[in-house]
Amino acid sequence: MLRFVVESAQTAFRAMTTDHRPATPIPPADAPGLRRRRVWALTAAAASTIGLGALLGHGLGHSVAAALPQPWQAGVPALVGAAVAALLVPLAGWAAIRIVAPGLPAPRQRPAPPASVTPLRAAAVAGHAAAPAAPVDAQASARDALTGAYTQQHFVAAADREWSRIRRHGEDAALLMIDVDHFTRLNDEHGGACGDAMLVEITRQASTTLRPYDLLARFGGGVLVVYLPHTDPLGALDVAERIRERVAALALNWQGQRVKATVSIGVAGIGAAHAGLDAVISEAGAALREAKDAGRNCVRAAPIPPRRNPTAARSAG
């Protein structure tokens, strides 16, 4: 019996000391199941070890008590049984964790009910898994790559929203159409890179003249368009003239030369007679052609439309 106890202790000791292999990673989904198996293994090991230790210790105690005086013989079996059980419980617990628990069968997982997915959602999920969309910077896509002004598409969408608001509240607004004079000739004489640099600088000059909530966009080539909310035609003319003066005073240093440019600007106020934004853009374009015909480097305005709001309008400052 003593030999059996020693062999059991040696087996538990080897389980604690000889397994130097790296532990196999436990999938997150299996971790709760492994914890439950360890609890059951520890409980069973503790109960069986206490019983076995008491039984072995009791038998060992009788063998020891036979060699002791008569008064000591009564309590020796119980003491030896408790000591053997106390020794075996930690060893059996360790063995249960390292050997028994991982070998127990995992509880069968109940299959999850199939999710109800509509055909449209399934197609969207499948498309997303097949070709994940790259993050798109919406602000960057709304800006012109060269000048940093808004694109024509963004301008039209934003101006359409503003159109609904000003028609609903009867507010004043105006539109500027700016074109660089002789832009093609500038590109031919100094190169496309010089023309691009000049357009960037003209855009910067126009932007510094505007308010934070004014909308500046590039419509292609050397054409810029400005939307001025809360601005009557006279206020729009003032803004246009200041932009023209700033550009006329501009001199671009390019490869040892001072390159100059001017702009012509057409102004159109938004009034009750306009059916839509296209009509205002058309009037601003007509006013721009008048400025070109007048010799360029000047501002011309379309006829002032009747106002819907009888109160005084705020002009751009």
Side-chain angles (χ1 to χ4, degrees):
M1 189 174 297
L2 180 59
R3 181 181 177 183
F4 180 79
V5 173
V6 173
E7 290 178 351
S8 301
Q10 289 176 347
T11 301
F13 183 77
R14 284 195 299 270
M16 289 188 292
T17 58
T18 60
D19 188 7
H20 298 293
R21 293 173 298 173
T24 302
I26 301 172
D30 190 48
L34 182 58
R35 284 196 295 269
R36 289 193 296 270
R37 295 197 299 272
R38 284 179 175 176
V39 170
W40 282 108
L42 284 174
T43 303
S48 60
T49 302
I50 292 174
L52 180 62
L55 180 62
L56 294 177
H58 189 65
L60 180 62
H62 279 291
S63 299
V64 175
L68 294 177
Q70 185 65 31
W72 296 87
Q73 294 180 359
V76 169
L79 292 175
V80 174
V84 172
L87 176 64
L88 293 182
V89 165
L91 299 178
W94 183 268
I97 294 175
R98 295 291 299 274
I99 300 175
V100 180
L104 292 178
R108 180 173 298 178
Q109 299 291 334
R110 181 176 298 177
S116 58
V117 180
T118 63
L120 180 61
R121 184 179 300 176
V125 172
H128 179 72
V136 177
D137 188 349
Q139 184 69 12
S141 64
R143 296 283 184 176
D144 176 63
L146 175 64
T147 63
Y150 286 111
T151 62
Q152 181 176 352
Q153 292 79 6
H154 179 84
F155 178 89
V156 171
D160 279 339
R161 291 192 297 269
E162 280 291 308
W163 179 269
S164 301
R165 186 181 63 82
I166 63 176
R167 294 302 295 266
R168 183 168 60 253
H169 299 289
E171 298 177 356
D172 289 296
L175 197 77
L176 309 182
M177 185 170 288
I178 308 168
D179 186 36
V180 182
D181 296 329
H182 303 296
F183 190 56
T184 302
R185 189 173 68 186
L186 187 150
N187 283 305
D188 293 340
E189 292 179 357
H190 301 281
C194 179
D196 289 345
M198 178 62 75
L199 184 59
V200 169
E201 188 60 29
I202 291 174
T203 303
R204 190 182 69 83
Q205 295 293 333
S207 180
T208 55
T209 310
L210 303 176
R211 300 164 298 184
Y213 50 84
D214 294 332
L215 195 63
L216 171 64
R218 182 189 180 193
F219 269 39
V223 179
L224 302 174
V225 176
V226 180
Y227 174 77
L228 300 171
H230 310 300
T231 306
D232 59 17
L234 294 179
L237 280 170
D238 178 66
V239 174
E241 185 60 30
R242 281 187 282 145
I243 292 175
R244 187 199 64 78
E245 290 176 353
R246 287 192 175 190
V247 174
L250 172 65
L252 179 67
N253 293 320
W254 185 261
Q255 298 180 352
Q257 300 181 18
R258 290 174 60 82
V259 181
K260 297 182 67 66
T262 59
V263 293
S264 300
I265 305 177
V267 180
I270 299 177
H274 292 120
L277 181 63
D278 291 341
V280 184
I281 294 177
S282 178
E283 287 192 3
L288 174 61
R289 287 190 294 273
E290 291 182 8
K292 295 287 188 181
D293 295 339
R296 296 180 172 82
N297 190 25
C298 62
V299 178
R300 291 294 183 268
I304 297 178
R307 295 171 53 191
R308 298 180 58 190
N309 189 355
T311 60
R314 291 175 288 178
S315 62

